Amino acid sequence: METTPVIKKAKAEILRQAKTYITTLFEEKLPKQLVYHSLKHTTLTVKEVRALGEAAELDASNQEALELAAWFHDTGYLDTYDGHEYRSMERAGEWLQEQGYPTDRIAVVREMIRATHRDEPRETELQQILVDADLCSLGREDFCASGELLRAEWEAVLGRSYSNTEWAEIQFTFLLSSKFRSHAAKERYGEQYKANVKEQKKRLKKIEKKEKKKKEEVQGNFAEGKRGVETMFRTTYDNHVSLSQMADNKANMMISLNAVILSILITYLGAKTSSIGPAFTRNPILTVPMGLLVATALGSVVSAILSAQPDVTTFKWLKKSPAIATNRRINILFFGNFTKLSLDDFQGGMNELMRDKDLMYTNMITDIYYLGEVLSRKYRLLRISYTIFMVGLILTALSFGIVLLYKA
């Protein structure tokens, strides 16, 4: 007659210890990004398994194991995100073994936690109850609020971002693909689950309607501003062509000027060598300014030639790549891109482009971007050419001045 209270007291004690251990563990070590799989979620799961276990009229031993599994089922998140259930099993087994918990009951707890993994079977009633409690938000009024916490957690931990429409579709699909397995869970969450399905369906339609209306408004505004958009593109193209011509003219000027300088120097030095012998035998110090002038002219003309050199942007087309017209990195209107395609691919891409105004503008924007890259390279090399020429002339003049002072 006195053994029953002692057993109940022992059972209550292991649950209190588990609660204290998990609470401290989560408060100290659980990553802050886990806003859904938090201590609050674990506490709610324990509360729900307690209610479901009582409704299912479980015996005290199974009820205790169920609550222990609920406390430990998310502890694996401290170590890993995907597949955390298996790490949770290990943590539960290690801790329960330290407490001297029976080995056969530890196995029951571990198998319940294993069942919470999406790919594991849920065969026993205890496993089904734990899984149902873990997914109790499907049948609660705070389903949408819980979903937003999960959305924020995925964005912070997994780097996955979803639009409102995408998230509403994910939630609706999850609702339809999920179901409560235990009889107790069906009784407890069934009505609210159906209400959540209807509400989410209504929410999805509302979001899709709103997004469609917004898209139509944008397209309408885009059509109204068509003339302004076309003027912008035309002006931008004209500016790019003018800047490119200006860069080529400046490069040609530098090429001509430095080519003349090099020709004069080579002719002069060649004539001196042939007629009077080595020009700098008597004045070897003159090699310094003359060498500077030759290096200046050579460096400047090379940079100018590189600037004026044609630069065609290309890409490597693979058959496994996305459709031509929808690839934002490809400009099908530019010969440097479309000459890499077969005639069939080019014709298909052009037909697709002509059917979609957005794709056409995207290709034009891509073309402007690549033109800007070419212009940037041209002016960078042109600036180098002018800088070499300027610095070289200054150094040459200074060196000639020093030579004259030295000879004097």
Side-chain angles (χ1 to χ4, degrees):
M1 295 295 294
E2 295 180 356
T3 56
T4 301
V6 173
I7 293 174
K8 288 183 178 180
K9 182 177 179 181
K11 291 178 178 178
E13 182 62 27
I14 191 68
L15 290 175
R16 280 196 296 269
Q17 291 176 352
K19 178 181 179 180
T20 302
Y21 173 72
I22 297 300
T23 301
T24 304
L25 187 66
F26 274 29
E27 288 177 348
E28 293 179 353
K29 297 185 178 180
L30 190 70
K32 300 299 181 184
Q33 301 95 321
L34 300 183
V35 292
Y36 177 80
H37 294 100
S38 60
L39 179 60
K40 181 180 178 181
H41 169 73
T42 296
T43 304
L44 176 62
T45 304
V46 174
K47 177 184 175 183
E48 294 300 317
V49 297
R50 188 177 297 132
L52 293 175
E54 291 175 358
E57 298 181 350
L58 298 178
D59 59 51
S61 178
N62 284 333
Q63 182 67 37
E64 178 187 81
L66 186 60
E67 292 184 31
L68 286 171
W71 277 117
F72 280 90
H73 83 285
D74 274 348
T75 53
Y77 277 114
L78 275 67
D79 306 298
T80 184
Y81 200 87
D82 191 24
H84 67 275
E85 296 87 353
Y86 303 114
R87 181 58 186 138
S88 299
M89 292 170 56
E90 295 175 5
R91 281 184 174 272
E94 291 168 359
W95 186 83
L96 289 172
Q97 192 172 13
E98 290 175 0
Q99 310 307 312
Y101 204 65
T103 304
D104 59 329
R105 303 309 295 168
I106 293 177
V108 172
V109 172
R110 285 170 53 90
E111 288 305 308
M112 278 190 280
I113 296 175
R114 182 196 297 274
T116 60
H117 190 280
R118 58 185 176 274
D119 297 329
E120 295 290 348
R122 293 84 185 252
E123 299 171 344
T124 68
E125 184 181 24
L126 292 178
Q127 293 171 357
Q128 292 172 357
I129 289 177
L130 179 60
V131 173
D132 288 342
D134 192 23
L135 299 176
C136 66
S137 61
L138 299 177
R140 289 171 55 89
E141 294 181 356
D142 60 354
F143 169 73
C144 290
S146 298
E148 288 303 315
L149 289 176
L150 183 61
R151 179 182 180 181
E153 180 175 302
W154 282 4
E155 183 172 352
V157 178
L158 304 178
R160 299 177 184 173
S161 297
Y162 301 95
S163 66
N164 291 335
T165 304
E166 290 172 339
W167 186 249
E169 289 175 348
I170 289 173
Q171 290 289 80
F172 185 59
T173 302
F174 184 57
L175 275 169
L176 294 180
S177 62
S178 303
K179 63 179 181 179
F180 293 110
R181 292 166 175 77
S182 64
H183 179 72
K186 293 176 182 177
E187 290 291 327
R188 185 174 176 83
Y189 310 122
E191 292 300 321
Q192 187 59 48
Y193 169 77
K194 293 178 182 178
N196 286 342
V197 171
K198 291 180 180 178
E199 180 63 26
Q200 190 63 25
K201 185 177 182 180
K202 189 186 300 182
R203 180 186 297 272
L204 180 58
K205 288 182 177 180
K206 185 177 179 180
I207 292 176
E208 288 177 342
K209 185 177 180 181
K210 186 176 179 180
E211 291 291 332
K212 184 179 179 181
K213 184 178 179 181
K214 185 177 178 181
K215 186 176 180 180
E216 289 173 351
E217 289 176 354
V218 171
Q219 290 177 343
N221 294 335
F222 204 47
E224 291 173 4
K226 182 179 179 182
R227 180 173 298 178
V229 172
E230 291 178 351
T231 301
M232 179 197 70
F233 277 116
R234 184 165 51 252
T235 302
T236 305
Y237 275 116
D238 289 343
N239 289 339
H240 276 76
V241 171
S242 299
L243 289 170
S244 183
Q245 289 177 346
M246 188 184 303
D248 289 339
N249 291 335
K250 290 179 180 293
N252 289 332
M253 183 179 69
M254 292 301 295
I255 292 171
S256 301
L257 178 61
N258 286 286
V260 169
I261 293 174
L262 284 172
S263 298
I264 293 173
L265 287 174
I266 291 172
T267 302
Y268 173 76
L269 294 175
K272 281 285 187 182
T273 303
S274 61
S275 59
I276 354 175
F280 305 111
T281 302
R282 293 180 300 276
N283 300 299
I285 197 169
L286 286 174
T287 57
V288 175
M290 296 299 289
L292 282 172
L293 188 57
V294 171
T296 296
L298 187 60
S300 182
V301 75
V302 169
S303 299
I305 291 172
L306 290 175
S307 175
Q309 185 181 18
D311 188 9
V312 178
T313 55
T314 60
F315 77 103
K316 186 176 181 181
W317 168 247
L318 302 174
K319 290 296 182 183
K320 63 182 180 181
S321 299
I324 286 288
T326 57
N327 193 325
R328 297 177 61 187
R329 297 186 62 83
I330 298 172
N331 174 25
I332 198 173
L333 302 177
F334 178 58
F335 79 92
N337 286 181
F338 69 70
T339 52
K340 301 296 182 182
L341 306 174
S342 67
L343 179 60
D344 290 338
D345 287 335
F346 176 66
Q347 289 176 339
M350 288 297 291
N351 288 329
E352 186 175 357
L353 194 65
M354 289 185 289
R355 287 193 298 268
D356 193 327
K357 178 179 63 178
D358 291 338
L359 288 179
M360 180 178 65
Y361 282 131
T362 297
N363 272 264
M364 294 174 70
I365 292 170
T366 304
D367 190 33
I368 291 174
Y369 176 83
Y370 285 135
L371 285 173
E373 280 193 339
V374 173
L375 274 179
S376 176
R377 177 182 175 276
K378 279 179 176 289
Y379 276 91
R380 184 174 66 253
L381 290 170
L382 196 57
R383 188 161 50 249
I384 292 172
S385 177
Y386 273 82
T387 301
I388 291 173
F389 189 73
M390 178 184 67
V391 173
L393 285 182
I394 293 172
L395 292 177
T396 301
L398 289 175
S399 62
F400 265 118
I402 293 172
V403 168
L404 292 175
L405 289 173
Y406 175 79
K407 290 180 67 178

